[in-house]
Amino acid sequence: DLVLVAVPLSVTPDVQSPPEEAIRAYRWVLNWSLSFGLQQWDVVGIAPSVLRADLTPEEKRRDDFARRMIRAQDLSLIARQDNDTSPSEQILQSWLRDQLGGK
């Protein structure tokens, strides 16, 4: 089973050094998506930029925060590459295809 966690930009902090409360809240969302005990499912974080290619500088900072938090929880990350204007569906399809070995 697979759980995809995509926290919206609107609730992702816009600061380079976010307050501890913001870090705790974001980490809480990621942690409670995990399976406790026996691993029953995999969790993958989706960076907010996957939904939109044209981020403002403020939204880019929020996206950077999300990427750092997802990586800090040692989760796989689905993210839009720089200068990639592909539709979000294509990014997700490509990621899934890569995970399935290009099938």
Side-chain angles (χ1 to χ4, degrees):
D1 294 329
L2 179 64
V3 173
L4 300 174
V5 179
V7 178
L9 274 172
S10 61
V11 296
T12 302
D14 170 33
V15 287
Q16 295 293 349
S17 299
E20 187 62 34
E21 180 180 321
I23 294 170
R24 263 195 310 271
Y26 205 95
R27 192 172 43 216
W28 183 90
V29 170
L30 296 174
N31 283 339
W32 281 98
S33 300
L34 299 172
S35 172
F36 294 99
L38 295 176
Q39 185 176 0
Q40 298 172 327
W41 57 81
D42 291 316
V43 179
V44 176
I46 300 178
S49 60
V50 169
L51 297 178
R52 272 197 17 242
D54 59 336
L55 299 180
T56 66
E58 174 188 337
E59 291 169 333
K60 177 69 174 132
R61 289 189 301 270
R62 291 173 187 253
D63 187 68
D64 290 342
F65 173 82
R67 290 172 187 237
R68 285 194 322 262
M69 292 301 296
I70 292 167
R71 287 187 190 113
Q73 295 300 311
D74 200 27
L75 298 176
S76 294
L77 171 66
I78 301 173
R80 180 181 298 276
Q81 300 298 316
D82 291 337
N83 301 318
D84 181 357
T85 59
S86 304
S88 55
E89 295 86 1
Q90 184 176 342
I91 294 170
L92 291 173
Q93 287 174 353
S94 294
W95 183 85
L96 284 170
R97 191 174 19 260
D98 290 345
Q99 300 310 302
L100 296 172
K103 296 181 181 178

